Amino acid sequence: QVEIVESGGGSVQAGGSLSLSCVASGSMSCGLAWYRQAPGKERELVSRISTDGATNNAASVKGRFTISRFTMSRISRGVKRTLVMRLDDLKIDDTGVYFCAACEERDSSGTLMTYLYWGQGIQVSVAS
């Protein structure tokens, strides 16, 4: 079982910046990701990082959202991974609930389908 705790977020003006932090802990050896869900829209992948540190960002956030920290430490019940994403030059369309997720679930061809563990979500609101 993996426990995920998110923090950060909030309300900013367009063009502003925020940081989102995710701490995932438990028995795991897998990557993390940030998803977001805007009002009335489906949840979409924003950024993901694999255990070897390779990152992948959605086209809509490239050059604006950056994984600024990705660390791992050993704990009594497994590991604790910390993922911090920096959000710069925020746009109104970036508004939504951001979710941290852990441990990729893939289909038989290796295509990423979803993640197994999810945080509660954290609100990011961007105003004009």
Side-chain angles (χ1 to χ4, degrees):
Q1 187 67 26
V2 175
E3 180 181 285
I4 294 177
V5 178
E6 302 137 327
S7 61
S11 299
V12 294
Q13 297 290 111
S17 298
L18 286 171
S19 285
L20 301 180
S21 178
C22 170
V23 178
S25 56
S27 179
M28 62 174 182
S29 175
C30 47
L32 300 178
W34 283 105
Y35 280 73
R36 70 183 178 190
Q37 187 165 19
K41 295 187 177 180
E42 293 188 356
R43 191 174 297 186
E44 63 172 344
L45 179 63
V46 174
S47 182
R48 60 187 176 95
I49 186 166
S50 59
T51 53
D52 63 2
T55 61
N56 193 317
N57 285 355
S60 60
V61 305
K62 277 184 179 176
R64 300 189 298 118
F65 292 10
T66 307
I67 299 295
S68 61
R69 185 155 66 108
F70 181 54
T71 61
M72 187 193 77
S73 59
R74 299 285 179 188
I75 59 175
S76 59
R77 57 188 183 92
V79 300
K80 182 174 77 174
R81 291 188 184 272
T82 300
L83 177 67
V84 178
M85 182 169 69
R86 171 82 176 174
L87 291 63
D88 292 315
D89 189 22
L90 281 160
K91 304 180 186 303
I92 294 174
D93 286 348
D94 293 321
T95 294
V97 179
Y98 285 67
F99 298 88
C100 181
C103 301
E104 305 90 337
E105 186 170 26
R106 299 180 180 273
D107 65 14
S108 58
S109 67
T111 300
L112 176 65
M113 301 298 292
T114 185
Y115 282 75
L116 293 174
Y117 305 102
W118 294 83
Q120 293 297 308
I122 193 162
Q123 180 70 43
V124 171
S125 298
V126 185
S128 59

mmCIF file of all heavy atoms in Angstrom, residues 55-86:
data_model
loop_
_atom_site.group_PDB
_atom_site.id
_atom_site.type_symbol
_atom_site.label_atom_id
_atom_site.label_comp_id
_atom_site.label_asym_id
_atom_site.label_seq_id
_atom_site.Cartn_x
_atom_site.Cartn_y
_atom_site.Cartn_z
ATOM 1 N N THR A 55 11.879 12.194 -17.221
ATOM 2 C CA THR A 55 10.620 12.935 -17.093
ATOM 3 C C THR A 55 9.917 13.060 -18.435
ATOM 4 O O THR A 55 10.538 12.961 -19.496
ATOM 5 C CB THR A 55 10.863 14.338 -16.520
ATOM 6 O OG1 THR A 55 11.732 15.054 -17.414
ATOM 7 C CG2 THR A 55 11.499 14.269 -15.149
ATOM 8 N N ASN A 56 8.638 13.312 -18.346
ATOM 9 C CA ASN A 56 7.829 13.499 -19.533
ATOM 10 C C ASN A 56 6.711 14.470 -19.176
ATOM 11 O O ASN A 56 5.959 14.209 -18.229
ATOM 12 C CB ASN A 56 7.253 12.152 -19.988
ATOM 13 C CG ASN A 56 6.673 12.226 -21.382
ATOM 14 O OD1 ASN A 56 5.991 13.169 -21.717
ATOM 15 N ND2 ASN A 56 6.960 11.230 -22.190
ATOM 16 N N ASN A 57 6.627 15.578 -19.908
ATOM 17 C CA ASN A 57 5.594 16.588 -19.647
ATOM 18 C C ASN A 57 4.592 16.669 -20.793
ATOM 19 O O ASN A 57 4.947 16.458 -21.951
ATOM 20 C CB ASN A 57 6.231 17.970 -19.480
ATOM 21 C CG ASN A 57 6.916 18.138 -18.154
ATOM 22 O OD1 ASN A 57 6.847 17.262 -17.301
ATOM 23 N ND2 ASN A 57 7.589 19.246 -17.982
ATOM 24 N N ALA A 58 3.375 16.995 -20.471
ATOM 25 C CA ALA A 58 2.373 17.238 -21.498
ATOM 26 C C ALA A 58 2.773 18.458 -22.324
ATOM 27 O O ALA A 58 3.412 19.384 -21.813
ATOM 28 C CB ALA A 58 1.010 17.467 -20.859
ATOM 29 N N ALA A 59 2.390 18.456 -23.597
ATOM 30 C CA ALA A 59 2.762 19.556 -24.483
ATOM 31 C C ALA A 59 2.251 20.895 -23.966
ATOM 32 O O ALA A 59 2.909 21.928 -24.122
ATOM 33 C CB ALA A 59 2.215 19.282 -25.883
ATOM 34 N N SER A 60 1.095 20.888 -23.321
ATOM 35 C CA SER A 60 0.485 22.135 -22.859
ATOM 36 C C SER A 60 1.259 22.800 -21.734
ATOM 37 O O SER A 60 1.039 23.987 -21.453
ATOM 38 C CB SER A 60 -0.948 21.862 -22.402
ATOM 39 O OG SER A 60 -0.964 20.918 -21.353
ATOM 40 N N VAL A 61 2.159 22.088 -21.076
ATOM 41 C CA VAL A 61 2.889 22.664 -19.946
ATOM 42 C C VAL A 61 4.396 22.700 -20.168
ATOM 43 O O VAL A 61 5.134 23.181 -19.303
ATOM 44 C CB VAL A 61 2.581 21.913 -18.636
ATOM 45 C CG1 VAL A 61 1.079 21.871 -18.387
ATOM 46 C CG2 VAL A 61 3.176 20.507 -18.639
ATOM 47 N N LYS A 62 4.855 22.217 -21.305
ATOM 48 C CA LYS A 62 6.301 22.202 -21.562
ATOM 49 C C LYS A 62 6.858 23.615 -21.543
ATOM 50 O O LYS A 62 6.284 24.539 -22.101
ATOM 51 C CB LYS A 62 6.595 21.532 -22.908
ATOM 52 C CG LYS A 62 6.644 20.025 -22.805
ATOM 53 C CD LYS A 62 7.039 19.365 -24.112
ATOM 54 C CE LYS A 62 7.097 17.855 -23.927
ATOM 55 N NZ LYS A 62 7.379 17.139 -25.186
ATOM 56 N N GLY A 63 7.982 23.751 -20.864
ATOM 57 C CA GLY A 63 8.616 25.058 -20.736
ATOM 58 C C GLY A 63 8.060 25.881 -19.588
ATOM 59 O O GLY A 63 8.621 26.926 -19.253
ATOM 60 N N ARG A 64 6.972 25.420 -18.973
ATOM 61 C CA ARG A 64 6.370 26.174 -17.873
ATOM 62 C C ARG A 64 6.363 25.377 -16.569
ATOM 63 O O ARG A 64 6.528 25.945 -15.490
ATOM 64 C CB ARG A 64 4.939 26.584 -18.231
ATOM 65 C CG ARG A 64 4.836 27.450 -19.466
ATOM 66 C CD ARG A 64 3.421 28.007 -19.666
ATOM 67 N NE ARG A 64 2.434 26.954 -19.852
ATOM 68 C CZ ARG A 64 1.405 26.749 -19.022
ATOM 69 N NH1 ARG A 64 1.247 27.520 -17.966
ATOM 70 N NH2 ARG A 64 0.532 25.784 -19.276
ATOM 71 N N PHE A 65 6.143 24.084 -16.652
ATOM 72 C CA PHE A 65 6.113 23.230 -15.463
ATOM 73 C C PHE A 65 7.397 22.398 -15.439
ATOM 74 O O PHE A 65 7.791 21.817 -16.454
ATOM 75 C CB PHE A 65 4.910 22.285 -15.489
ATOM 76 C CG PHE A 65 3.571 22.961 -15.337
ATOM 77 C CD1 PHE A 65 3.429 24.338 -15.384
ATOM 78 C CD2 PHE A 65 2.432 22.198 -15.138
ATOM 79 C CE1 PHE A 65 2.190 24.951 -15.248
ATOM 80 C CE2 PHE A 65 1.184 22.787 -14.994
ATOM 81 C CZ PHE A 65 1.068 24.158 -15.055
ATOM 82 N N THR A 66 8.005 22.338 -14.258
ATOM 83 C CA THR A 66 9.287 21.652 -14.140
ATOM 84 C C THR A 66 9.311 20.801 -12.886
ATOM 85 O O THR A 66 8.880 21.253 -11.823
ATOM 86 C CB THR A 66 10.441 22.676 -14.052
ATOM 87 O OG1 THR A 66 10.350 23.594 -15.142
ATOM 88 C CG2 THR A 66 11.784 21.965 -14.097
ATOM 89 N N ILE A 67 9.838 19.597 -13.002
ATOM 90 C CA ILE A 67 10.097 18.782 -11.825
ATOM 91 C C ILE A 67 11.350 19.355 -11.169
ATOM 92 O O ILE A 67 12.451 19.265 -11.712
ATOM 93 C CB ILE A 67 10.318 17.307 -12.173
ATOM 94 C CG1 ILE A 67 9.066 16.721 -12.848
ATOM 95 C CG2 ILE A 67 10.689 16.507 -10.929
ATOM 96 C CD1 ILE A 67 7.852 16.685 -11.944
ATOM 97 N N SER A 68 11.191 19.978 -10.010
ATOM 98 C CA SER A 68 12.323 20.652 -9.383
ATOM 99 C C SER A 68 13.009 19.783 -8.340
ATOM 100 O O SER A 68 14.142 20.058 -7.949
ATOM 101 C CB SER A 68 11.876 21.971 -8.755
ATOM 102 O OG SER A 68 10.897 21.733 -7.759
ATOM 103 N N ARG A 69 12.316 18.765 -7.860
ATOM 104 C CA ARG A 69 12.953 17.893 -6.876
ATOM 105 C C ARG A 69 12.314 16.507 -6.944
ATOM 106 O O ARG A 69 11.091 16.373 -7.027
ATOM 107 C CB ARG A 69 12.803 18.462 -5.467
ATOM 108 C CG ARG A 69 13.539 17.664 -4.391
ATOM 109 C CD ARG A 69 13.860 18.546 -3.212
ATOM 110 N NE ARG A 69 12.672 18.996 -2.525
ATOM 111 C CZ ARG A 69 12.298 18.552 -1.331
ATOM 112 N NH1 ARG A 69 12.996 17.619 -0.729
ATOM 113 N NH2 ARG A 69 11.232 19.033 -0.751
ATOM 114 N N PHE A 70 13.149 15.479 -6.895
ATOM 115 C CA PHE A 70 12.681 14.106 -6.870
ATOM 116 C C PHE A 70 13.679 13.325 -6.032
ATOM 117 O O PHE A 70 14.799 13.061 -6.467
ATOM 118 C CB PHE A 70 12.596 13.536 -8.289
ATOM 119 C CG PHE A 70 12.094 12.108 -8.353
ATOM 120 C CD1 PHE A 70 10.900 11.757 -7.752
ATOM 121 C CD2 PHE A 70 12.802 11.136 -9.034
ATOM 122 C CE1 PHE A 70 10.414 10.459 -7.824
ATOM 123 C CE2 PHE A 70 12.339 9.827 -9.105
ATOM 124 C CZ PHE A 70 11.143 9.495 -8.505
ATOM 125 N N THR A 71 13.288 12.992 -4.808
ATOM 126 C CA THR A 71 14.217 12.340 -3.890
ATOM 127 C C THR A 71 13.600 11.074 -3.320
ATOM 128 O O THR A 71 12.382 10.876 -3.348
ATOM 129 C CB THR A 71 14.589 13.267 -2.728
ATOM 130 O OG1 THR A 71 13.399 13.606 -2.000
ATOM 131 C CG2 THR A 71 15.248 14.537 -3.232
ATOM 132 N N MET A 72 14.460 10.233 -2.786
ATOM 133 C CA MET A 72 14.005 9.001 -2.167
ATOM 134 C C MET A 72 14.767 8.763 -0.879
ATOM 135 O O MET A 72 15.970 9.029 -0.814
ATOM 136 C CB MET A 72 14.209 7.805 -3.100
ATOM 137 C CG MET A 72 13.605 6.514 -2.569
ATOM 138 S SD MET A 72 14.152 5.037 -3.459
ATOM 139 C CE MET A 72 15.780 4.822 -2.779
ATOM 140 N N SER A 73 14.066 8.293 0.138
ATOM 141 C CA SER A 73 14.722 7.912 1.379
ATOM 142 C C SER A 73 14.082 6.629 1.895
ATOM 143 O O SER A 73 12.917 6.331 1.600
ATOM 144 C CB SER A 73 14.603 9.029 2.416
ATOM 145 O OG SER A 73 13.250 9.323 2.678
ATOM 146 N N ARG A 74 14.853 5.887 2.666
ATOM 147 C CA ARG A 74 14.359 4.625 3.225
ATOM 148 C C ARG A 74 13.594 4.902 4.504
ATOM 149 O O ARG A 74 14.011 5.703 5.329
ATOM 150 C CB ARG A 74 15.534 3.701 3.530
ATOM 151 C CG ARG A 74 16.358 3.330 2.309
ATOM 152 C CD ARG A 74 15.675 2.323 1.437
ATOM 153 N NE ARG A 74 16.454 1.985 0.249
ATOM 154 C CZ ARG A 74 16.021 1.243 -0.743
ATOM 155 N NH1 ARG A 74 14.786 0.751 -0.709
ATOM 156 N NH2 ARG A 74 16.796 0.978 -1.771
ATOM 157 N N ILE A 75 12.464 4.240 4.694
ATOM 158 C CA ILE A 75 11.708 4.326 5.929
ATOM 159 C C ILE A 75 11.406 2.902 6.402
ATOM 160 O O ILE A 75 11.649 1.944 5.671
ATOM 161 C CB ILE A 75 10.403 5.144 5.760
ATOM 162 C CG1 ILE A 75 9.500 4.507 4.688
ATOM 163 C CG2 ILE A 75 10.722 6.589 5.401
ATOM 164 C CD1 ILE A 75 8.147 5.200 4.557
ATOM 165 N N SER A 76 10.825 2.777 7.576
ATOM 166 C CA SER A 76 10.620 1.454 8.164
ATOM 167 C C SER A 76 9.717 0.566 7.306
ATOM 168 O O SER A 76 9.875 -0.654 7.274
ATOM 169 C CB SER A 76 10.036 1.583 9.568
ATOM 170 O OG SER A 76 8.803 2.271 9.517
ATOM 171 N N ARG A 77 8.762 1.170 6.593
ATOM 172 C CA ARG A 77 7.826 0.362 5.822
ATOM 173 C C ARG A 77 8.059 0.467 4.316
ATOM 174 O O ARG A 77 7.154 0.230 3.525
ATOM 175 C CB ARG A 77 6.386 0.745 6.155
ATOM 176 C CG ARG A 77 6.039 2.191 5.933
ATOM 177 C CD ARG A 77 4.639 2.493 6.481
ATOM 178 N NE ARG A 77 4.232 3.869 6.232
ATOM 179 C CZ ARG A 77 3.550 4.249 5.168
ATOM 180 N NH1 ARG A 77 3.193 3.362 4.270
ATOM 181 N NH2 ARG A 77 3.215 5.500 4.995
ATOM 182 N N GLY A 78 9.272 0.818 3.949
ATOM 183 C CA GLY A 78 9.578 0.853 2.528
ATOM 184 C C GLY A 78 10.407 2.068 2.160
ATOM 185 O O GLY A 78 11.517 2.248 2.645
ATOM 186 N N VAL A 79 9.875 2.900 1.302
ATOM 187 C CA VAL A 79 10.587 4.104 0.879
ATOM 188 C C VAL A 79 9.644 5.292 0.919
ATOM 189 O O VAL A 79 8.419 5.140 0.940
ATOM 190 C CB VAL A 79 11.150 3.953 -0.557
ATOM 191 C CG1 VAL A 79 12.114 2.813 -0.643
ATOM 192 C CG2 VAL A 79 10.022 3.781 -1.572
ATOM 193 N N LYS A 80 10.245 6.459 0.935
ATOM 194 C CA LYS A 80 9.497 7.698 0.830
ATOM 195 C C LYS A 80 10.066 8.470 -0.352
ATOM 196 O O LYS A 80 11.261 8.746 -0.392
ATOM 197 C CB LYS A 80 9.614 8.530 2.103
ATOM 198 C CG LYS A 80 8.805 9.816 2.047
ATOM 199 C CD LYS A 80 8.810 10.550 3.369
ATOM 200 C CE LYS A 80 10.103 11.271 3.599
ATOM 201 N NZ LYS A 80 10.059 12.116 4.822
ATOM 202 N N ARG A 81 9.197 8.777 -1.310
ATOM 203 C CA ARG A 81 9.614 9.561 -2.471
ATOM 204 C C ARG A 81 8.957 10.925 -2.403
ATOM 205 O O ARG A 81 7.748 11.033 -2.126
ATOM 206 C CB ARG A 81 9.214 8.870 -3.772
ATOM 207 C CG ARG A 81 9.981 7.600 -4.056
ATOM 208 C CD ARG A 81 9.676 7.080 -5.459
ATOM 209 N NE ARG A 81 10.328 5.803 -5.716
ATOM 210 C CZ ARG A 81 11.556 5.686 -6.193
ATOM 211 N NH1 ARG A 81 12.269 6.753 -6.465
ATOM 212 N NH2 ARG A 81 12.065 4.490 -6.391
ATOM 213 N N THR A 82 9.757 11.937 -2.650
ATOM 214 C CA THR A 82 9.256 13.311 -2.651
ATOM 215 C C THR A 82 9.388 13.868 -4.064
ATOM 216 O O THR A 82 10.462 13.801 -4.669
ATOM 217 C CB THR A 82 10.041 14.185 -1.663
ATOM 218 O OG1 THR A 82 9.896 13.648 -0.344
ATOM 219 C CG2 THR A 82 9.510 15.619 -1.695
ATOM 220 N N LEU A 83 8.289 14.408 -4.555
ATOM 221 C CA LEU A 83 8.253 14.981 -5.895
ATOM 222 C C LEU A 83 7.726 16.404 -5.791
ATOM 223 O O LEU A 83 6.625 16.620 -5.283
ATOM 224 C CB LEU A 83 7.332 14.159 -6.792
ATOM 225 C CG LEU A 83 7.121 14.658 -8.226
ATOM 226 C CD1 LEU A 83 8.399 14.562 -9.027
ATOM 227 C CD2 LEU A 83 5.999 13.871 -8.897
ATOM 228 N N VAL A 84 8.510 17.361 -6.256
ATOM 229 C CA VAL A 84 8.081 18.756 -6.254
ATOM 230 C C VAL A 84 8.041 19.254 -7.689
ATOM 231 O O VAL A 84 9.007 19.100 -8.440
ATOM 232 C CB VAL A 84 9.036 19.643 -5.425
ATOM 233 C CG1 VAL A 84 8.583 21.105 -5.483
ATOM 234 C CG2 VAL A 84 9.078 19.162 -3.984
ATOM 235 N N MET A 85 6.928 19.827 -8.064
ATOM 236 C CA MET A 85 6.772 20.386 -9.397
ATOM 237 C C MET A 85 6.583 21.898 -9.288
ATOM 238 O O MET A 85 5.730 22.372 -8.532
ATOM 239 C CB MET A 85 5.576 19.759 -10.120
ATOM 240 C CG MET A 85 5.387 20.263 -11.544
ATOM 241 S SD MET A 85 4.179 19.299 -12.477
ATOM 242 C CE MET A 85 2.659 19.734 -11.651
ATOM 243 N N ARG A 86 7.362 22.616 -10.043
ATOM 244 C CA ARG A 86 7.297 24.073 -10.093
ATOM 245 C C ARG A 86 6.425 24.460 -11.283
ATOM 246 O O ARG A 86 6.640 23.998 -12.399
ATOM 247 C CB ARG A 86 8.707 24.637 -10.268
ATOM 248 C CG ARG A 86 8.772 26.118 -10.537
ATOM 249 C CD ARG A 86 8.679 26.916 -9.277
ATOM 250 N NE ARG A 86 8.840 28.343 -9.558
ATOM 251 C CZ ARG A 86 8.685 29.289 -8.639
ATOM 252 N NH1 ARG A 86 8.370 28.959 -7.393
ATOM 253 N NH2 ARG A 86 8.866 30.544 -8.960
#
